Amino acid sequence: MKKMTAKINSAHQENTTTKKHISLLTENIQEFINSKNDFQAFIILSIGIEFLGAFVDEKDFNEFGQSQNRFENSLKHWFNNKWYEQNRTWIYQNLRGPLVHQYRPGKEILLTSKCKNNIDLEKHLTKSNGKTIFVLEQLFADFKKACEKIDREMNNDKSPYKNTKMSEKYMTIYEFENWNKEKIVLSGQTETIIGE
């Protein structure tokens, strides 16, 4: 059997910082919105909210068992709308947890979007049939404001949140060709094949 190998071209590698990773998250979410993939955008957005919460603690990004703490810390410290802070555990239990682990929203929420359903952004966090409505584009706007708040805090030398996490190397992306001459991008343990 022929051994299939590919050589990583070190000339085509990029080290991304956590700050760049936040930028990539917002770009990816926007791409999902632009293509009307609202459900996938909600999932990535939920993961992004949790990621922002990692900047509140001093623990390593890989520290096990921090998902709920980080998600709730993000809503408490970075989001301006106090409703998020006051309902952060409930949001984790009905939005982030079910979306990430069950690929569906929790029983007490309704997910919708302007891009797909032309819903008014003002419906965000209102009730319908006893369920709380989450409008993707409004949640995303709140997320982007949270990202801006983190950026300001990390650039403020007197900030209680200033830590080295914002500038540390977060992920390395390598690009090379595999045995079939397909362009491959690797980052950590993931592999993505990019078409011609």
Side-chain angles (χ1 to χ4, degrees):
M1 179 176 219
K2 183 179 175 183
K3 183 178 178 184
M4 295 187 209
T5 61
K7 185 177 180 185
I8 293 175
N9 184 348
S10 59
H12 291 95
Q13 84 178 46
E14 177 185 356
N15 293 317
T16 63
T17 63
T18 52
K19 186 173 183 172
K20 173 69 174 170
H21 193 69
I22 291 171
S23 177
L24 291 172
L25 274 170
T26 57
E27 289 171 18
N28 289 161
I29 295 165
Q30 187 62 60
E31 288 171 7
F32 279 121
I33 291 170
N34 293 346
S35 62
K36 297 184 180 184
N37 289 307
D38 57 353
F39 190 72
Q40 290 81 1
F42 270 114
I43 294 169
I44 301 302
L45 186 48
S46 296
I47 294 167
I49 292 169
E50 179 182 324
F51 181 71
L52 299 185
F55 295 98
V56 176
D57 64 52
E58 294 292 328
K59 297 176 183 172
D60 187 76
F61 281 107
N62 296 323
E63 186 77 26
F64 183 76
Q66 298 304 307
S67 294
Q68 185 167 357
N69 288 337
R70 287 180 171 169
F71 186 89
E72 291 183 17
N73 279 337
S74 179
L75 296 176
K76 179 179 179 181
H77 294 278
W78 304 128
F79 282 69
N80 292 330
N81 184 332
K82 291 298 177 192
W83 188 91
Y84 295 122
E85 178 183 352
Q86 294 164 354
N87 295 282
R88 61 188 183 271
T89 300
W90 180 88
I91 298 169
Y92 179 83
Q93 293 169 345
N94 285 279
L95 180 73
R96 190 271 182 208
L99 283 177
V100 172
H101 295 290
Q102 300 168 358
Y103 198 63
R104 65 179 181 177
K107 294 177 183 178
E108 297 180 27
I109 65 172
L110 297 170
L111 302 179
T112 189
S113 65
K114 184 166 183 64
C115 68
K116 200 167 192 176
N117 302 308
N118 202 30
I119 191 123
D120 188 344
L121 298 184
E122 292 181 12
K123 295 285 186 185
H124 184 62
L125 304 180
T126 62
K127 295 268 190 179
S128 177
N129 296 323
K131 297 183 179 196
T132 303
I133 299 170
F134 282 80
V135 179
L136 173 61
E137 290 82 356
Q138 185 57 59
L139 182 59
F140 184 46
D142 295 339
F143 176 79
K144 290 191 288 187
K145 287 178 186 173
C147 292
E148 292 167 6
K149 189 174 181 180
I150 287 178
D151 192 50
R152 284 191 307 274
E153 288 293 327
M154 295 306 162
N155 289 316
N156 177 358
D157 290 334
K158 296 180 182 179
S159 171
Y161 302 110
K162 183 154 178 90
N163 61 46
T164 60
K165 283 184 176 179
M166 187 56 95
S167 59
E168 75 181 47
K169 179 178 154 184
Y170 186 72
M171 180 172 56
T172 301
I173 300 171
Y174 300 94
E175 185 179 300
F176 65 97
E177 286 184 352
N178 70 5
W179 55 91
N180 290 325
K181 301 291 184 195
E182 296 169 313
K183 188 175 175 184
I184 303 290
V185 176
L186 289 176
S187 59
Q189 296 180 10
T190 64
E191 181 176 312
T192 304
I193 298 176
I194 299 175
E196 301 289 324

